[in-house]
Amino acid sequence: MNTKVSLFFIFLFVAFQVGFSQGVNGIVNPNNLLNNGNDSIPNSGEITVTLSGKTKYTDYKIFSHNRDTTYIDTTLSIQKDYKFNWLRKDNFELLEFHNQGQTFTSLGYDFSNLDLFPDLGFTAKQFSYLNIEDIKYYEVPTPTTEITYRTGLQQGQVLDAIFTLNFSRRFNVSLSYKGIRSLGAYRRSLVSNGNFRGTYHYRTKNDQYQIRGHFTTQDFFNEESGGLSESSIENFQSNDPDFENRARIDVNLNDTENQFDSSRFYLEQSYKLLSSKDSTNTKDFSNLKIGHTLTNEIKDYRFIQGTVSPLFGEANPTGTSKNKVEEVFNNNELNLEFNSKYVLGKIKAKVNFTNYSYGYDTILNTNTLISKTRLTGKAISFGADWNARIKNFKLNATGNLTPGSSRLSGSFLKGEALYEKDSVFSIKGSLLLSSKSPNFNMLLHQSRYDDYNWQNDFSNVNTRDLGFNLKSKWLNAGVNLTNIDNYTYFDENNLPQQFSDQIIYLKAKVNKEIKYWKIALDNTVMYQNVSSGNEVFRVPDIVTRNTLYYQDYWFKGKPMLVNIGATFKYFTKYQMNAYNPLIAEFTLQNSQEIGFSTVDVFFNAQVRRTRLFFKIDNVTSRFSSNRNYFSAPNYPFRDFTIRFGLVWNWFI
């Protein structure tokens, strides 16, 4: 008990001050109830909760973009530990850079949810970007708040605040902001990011008319170091005691920054033209809906540098030190939805009117042969969605065709078949066929550096993905086989290229948790194989995460649930892609293989609806003289680091 008391004094004071001061009516089982959209209780299973009046935990709802329903969740589990990071989601397939809020190296790739149209690009800046599908909508009976706090690295912190309320049972709004400012351990690694989102949804009686939408503004600022110099890498790897203070280590860039900004307005509305008295609760119904969706999104990327650096090659002395590229995307969708007992499921026909503008205000470098400053175009696309349920089977399909010769032309088809056996297990098969243009920054890019100017006319990238997933109380597993034609990438010279052969990529992932008494071992292993195209498409063969932890209630009356353990992570050596801060992309490199293991130790606790997280990252680096851990070539991974944070919910 002495060990428990020692740990208890570290956390309990904060927990009781926060947890028991919440002005909430009712008593909630500590194992249950209420969090954000990333950690939510699915609409299945029963939870024992007592709230005042007629309010139940199922009244605090979260809706995804696809209208899947979950409930706010304040439980503590090992999955919550995995999601307690800047992204607020499990980043098993990602490798962080040393300072949170920086970019990530992809250890695995997911092609099962591609977008219909090409994007601005500069993908290294968009790992924490919130797309339309990432926005959550809330429906709560009382004002609800969640505050997430986490310490940063060297003078910084993370804050994610969510506030939602209703003006009536049918009209709900929410305001959220996630921000970070963290200096980092190395020079020129300051991060200052922000994600604001506001949502609303309203429905009339009998759901005759429904409207929902959101507004987001997002900004991601990074000082860029260009990684460590060659001499600094030697000092780092030799564990030179003079450089234990990482701010003393020299970096390649001293006055370089990049910034990614975005704003988006999204609106979705529908009106029911024909319906029975109760088309929601009876099978004998027929209805016809007309709908409209509007998306207006602006993205821009800026690379700012005071003095020319030889790291990027020759530069035009008359070229500008600040280049900005912008994309404006507008889409209007009109749809007609039909749902009847005489047809199988729900069918929606849709037509989209899309226009875009991407480019620069002027020619930035007169040494190049760039003839265009902007890519513009518009297109009309046609599509349909189908959703059906036959007993335990769910069938979903969506398709889209954009005819013509514009850069938006292409096709998209995705189908899913899901079989669910109560809460015992579910099996899902999926097929995706996609043909679309590469991202715009691969087609046109300008810079005062001569080697970073190009104007390309690439073919569409054709992707075929076949996937199978199993979820059960015994085992979770997934397999994806992906074929890609005209795969587009950045080569060793930082130039965009299209691969002439086919990429064949296999990914298999298995998760199994073993429990005994109050001890559990959670194991996740991913195997990857690139049988064709591994010279341009590179991934580690094995990625694994193994967590051994203890979980139990402490003290009389079970006021506090604790979760204590260690997580081992490892991936095999491979020629990891290099990070280029000028184009904010990852490029091929053939000089270095990277693969290493880390161990993180954690102590998590829950008191009522407050969860506290205490973690020591990369513990073994304190005791090992081998400094072989890198997030990308020239970019060391995080050293021994202590972090503290909490997630706090309260309801009025």
Side-chain angles (χ1 to χ4, degrees):
M1 179 60 70
N2 290 336
T3 302
K4 292 183 178 181
V5 171
S6 299
L7 293 170
F8 172 76
F9 278 116
I10 299 176
F11 298 100
L12 191 60
F13 176 78
V14 177
F16 274 88
Q17 290 295 318
V18 173
F20 286 111
S21 65
Q22 300 179 59
V24 184
N25 294 325
I27 302 172
V28 183
N29 186 325
N31 281 328
N32 307 315
L33 195 61
L34 301 160
N35 152 20
N36 76 4
N38 291 322
D39 306 316
S40 51
I41 301 175
N43 192 3
S44 62
E46 294 295 329
I47 296 179
T48 304
V49 174
T50 302
L51 293 173
S52 63
K54 297 181 180 180
T55 303
K56 299 178 293 184
Y57 83 95
T58 52
D59 295 326
Y60 292 81
K61 299 176 182 178
I62 305 171
F63 300 101
S64 71
H65 175 72
N66 294 325
R67 301 186 184 276
D68 297 323
T69 306
T70 54
Y71 308 123
I72 298 176
D73 171 21
T74 61
T75 61
L76 178 66
S77 66
I78 191 61
Q79 284 71 34
K80 298 296 179 59
D81 180 78
Y82 296 152
K83 295 178 181 180
F84 191 70
N85 52 52
W86 164 245
L87 296 181
R88 302 300 306 278
K89 61 184 180 182
D90 190 346
N91 57 6
F92 171 75
E93 297 185 19
L94 299 175
L95 176 62
E96 295 177 283
F97 275 45
H98 94 276
N99 194 11
Q100 59 183 343
Q102 290 182 296
T103 189
F104 296 80
T105 292
S106 296
L107 300 178
Y109 295 89
D110 183 7
F111 296 97
S112 61
N113 291 291
L114 298 180
D115 293 328
L116 296 176
F117 301 112
D119 184 55
L120 171 74
F122 307 100
T123 56
K125 300 289 292 183
Q126 298 198 56
F127 281 97
S128 53
Y129 185 77
L130 298 177
N131 292 297
I132 293 175
E133 297 77 15
D134 300 316
I135 302 301
K136 307 295 183 182
Y137 301 87
Y138 297 83
E139 183 177 295
V140 294
T142 63
T144 302
T145 303
E146 176 179 286
I147 300 293
T148 299
Y149 171 81
R150 193 184 192 211
T151 55
L153 189 65
Q154 302 290 337
Q155 305 177 26
Q157 50 274 321
V158 177
L159 181 67
D160 190 1
I162 301 171
F163 175 69
T164 178
L165 77 162
N166 70 73
F167 291 100
S168 72
R169 186 176 182 86
R170 299 185 303 277
F171 182 32
N172 285 253
V173 299
S174 73
L175 296 174
S176 311
Y177 181 80
K178 181 173 69 170
I180 179 176
R181 185 174 178 85
S182 182
L183 182 62
Y186 295 86
R187 297 183 191 176
R188 304 298 301 176
S189 57
L190 172 68
V191 172
S192 180
N193 298 342
N195 303 76
F196 169 81
R197 57 265 190 213
T199 74
Y200 62 91
H201 67 99
Y202 171 77
R203 52 189 172 86
T204 59
K205 291 182 178 180
N206 300 322
D207 297 336
Q208 187 79 23
Y209 174 75
Q210 297 187 53
I211 184 172
R212 69 172 180 174
H214 67 257
F215 174 75
T216 65
T217 59
Q218 305 180 65
D219 59 274
F220 308 101
F221 170 83
N222 292 87
E223 291 182 342
E224 294 291 352
S225 68
L228 304 187
S229 63
E230 291 185 9
S231 60
S232 297
I233 291 176
E234 294 179 4
N235 295 330
F236 170 77
Q237 291 184 318
S238 64
N239 198 23
D240 190 326
D242 292 335
F243 296 95
E244 287 185 359
N245 182 348
R246 300 309 190 193
R248 296 180 178 179
I249 298 181
D250 290 332
V251 294
N252 288 315
L253 301 172
N254 294 309
D255 58 355
T256 302
E257 304 166 352
N258 59 23
Q259 174 108 24
F260 185 96
D261 295 322
S262 170
S263 63
R264 180 177 64 242
F265 175 78
Y266 177 84
L267 179 147
E268 180 182 334
Q269 55 186 333
S270 65
Y271 183 80
K272 192 177 296 185
L273 299 174
L274 300 172
S275 66
S276 63
K277 286 186 177 180
D278 187 1
S279 62
T280 303
N281 300 318
T282 178
K283 295 181 180 180
D284 186 15
F285 69 92
S286 176
N287 65 44
L288 185 66
K289 282 184 183 179
I290 186 171
H292 169 244
T293 300
L294 168 66
T295 304
N296 179 271
E297 188 168 41
I298 300 174
K299 295 180 179 179
D300 67 72
Y301 172 76
R302 283 166 283 172
F303 178 78
I304 308 164
Q305 189 176 50
T307 57
V308 172
S309 169
L311 187 67
F312 303 117
E314 296 293 328
N316 186 341
T318 62
T320 178
S321 62
K322 179 179 179 180
N323 63 294
K324 176 183 176 181
V325 59
E326 181 183 70
E327 178 199 35
V328 179
F329 178 86
N330 289 281
N331 184 75
N332 272 283
E333 176 187 297
L334 300 177
N335 58 69
L336 193 65
E337 182 181 301
F338 182 63
N339 195 355
S340 170
K341 66 176 181 177
Y342 302 110
V343 299
L344 182 61
K346 181 173 62 178
I347 299 175
K348 177 191 288 186
K350 52 190 179 182
V351 57
N352 285 268
F353 303 90
T354 309
N355 61 77
Y356 72 93
S357 174
Y358 163 88
Y360 303 80
D361 293 331
T362 185
I363 298 293
L364 303 181
N365 189 333
T366 56
N367 290 344
T368 67
L369 299 177
I370 297 292
S371 60
K372 291 184 178 181
T373 60
R374 190 165 292 272
L375 305 176
T376 60
K378 56 185 178 180
I380 300 178
S381 59
F382 306 92
D385 298 337
W386 175 55
N387 307 99
R389 179 159 192 161
I390 307 172
K391 295 184 178 180
N392 292 336
F393 282 95
K394 289 182 180 179
L395 303 173
N396 303 300
T398 181
N400 193 80
L401 175 64
T402 308
S405 57
S406 72
R407 292 181 182 87
L408 297 183
S409 64
S411 59
F412 181 89
L413 176 64
K414 182 178 180 180
E416 293 180 344
L418 175 67
Y419 176 80
E420 293 180 309
K421 179 62 176 177
D422 300 324
S423 59
V424 179
F425 71 90
S426 66
I427 301 175
K428 183 175 75 172
S430 63
L431 174 66
L432 180 140
L433 304 174
S434 169
S435 176
K436 68 174 184 177
S437 168
N439 289 335
F440 291 128
N441 69 326
M442 291 186 164
L443 304 179
L444 176 65
H445 186 268
Q446 292 195 68
S447 171
R448 67 169 168 174
Y449 289 97
D450 295 344
D451 294 336
Y452 288 84
N453 293 269
W454 53 76
Q455 182 177 318
N456 296 315
D457 187 17
F458 287 146
S459 301
N460 275 10
V461 179
N462 302 314
T463 306
R464 298 168 293 278
D465 183 85
L466 179 65
F468 296 94
N469 286 276
L470 168 67
K471 291 185 178 181
S472 70
K473 60 181 180 181
W474 308 287
L475 183 75
N476 297 321
V479 178
N480 283 82
L481 178 63
T482 306
N483 293 347
I484 309 174
D485 293 323
N486 301 324
Y487 174 71
T488 312
Y489 63 98
F490 287 91
D491 65 14
E492 303 92 312
N493 299 316
N494 306 296
L495 296 175
Q497 304 287 350
Q498 272 201 319
F499 189 54
S500 58
D501 294 328
Q502 187 180 84
I503 303 291
I504 301 178
Y505 169 49
L506 173 67
K507 181 175 75 171
K509 185 161 63 173
V510 177
N511 169 257
K512 170 65 176 176
E513 185 175 53
I514 303 170
K515 291 185 177 181
Y516 175 73
W517 186 58
K518 301 172 183 179
I519 305 295
L521 177 63
D522 184 74
N523 304 286
T524 303
V525 179
M526 181 171 67
Y527 169 75
Q528 300 177 106
N529 179 266
V530 182
S531 58
S532 175
N534 56 9
E535 60 267 37
V536 299
F537 189 92
R538 298 170 180 174
V539 290
D541 292 337
I542 300 293
V543 181
T544 182
R545 178 180 64 196
N546 311 93
T547 302
L548 179 66
Y549 67 98
Y550 159 87
Q551 182 166 305
D552 190 24
Y553 287 97
W554 280 6
F555 306 104
K556 185 177 180 180
K558 299 182 178 180
M560 186 165 107
L561 176 67
V562 298
N563 186 305
I564 308 170
T567 298
F568 170 82
K569 292 180 283 187
Y570 167 76
F571 63 93
T572 54
K573 286 187 176 182
Y574 75 110
Q575 290 180 331
M576 178 185 290
N577 289 344
Y579 171 61
N580 187 314
L582 193 156
I583 55 176
E585 295 280 3
F586 284 88
T587 67
L588 294 182
Q589 60 86 24
N590 299 312
S591 59
Q592 186 177 359
E593 286 193 339
I594 296 176
F596 60 92
S597 62
T598 61
V599 176
D600 302 335
V601 175
F602 59 88
F603 181 108
N604 304 327
Q606 176 192 359
V607 179
R608 300 193 70 182
R609 287 176 295 279
T610 303
R611 283 86 69 211
L612 300 112
F613 299 86
F614 180 85
K615 177 172 285 190
I616 305 176
D617 293 334
N618 201 6
V619 171
T620 52
S621 66
R622 179 58 64 94
F623 312 105
S624 174
S625 59
N626 185 12
R627 297 291 188 269
N628 64 347
Y629 44 87
F630 289 84
S631 299
N634 302 338
Y635 286 86
F637 182 65
R638 186 178 304 125
D639 293 311
F640 180 99
T641 306
I642 299 176
R643 297 182 183 278
F644 170 76
L646 61 86
V647 181
W648 175 22
N649 290 88
W650 72 92
F651 315 93
I652 300 174

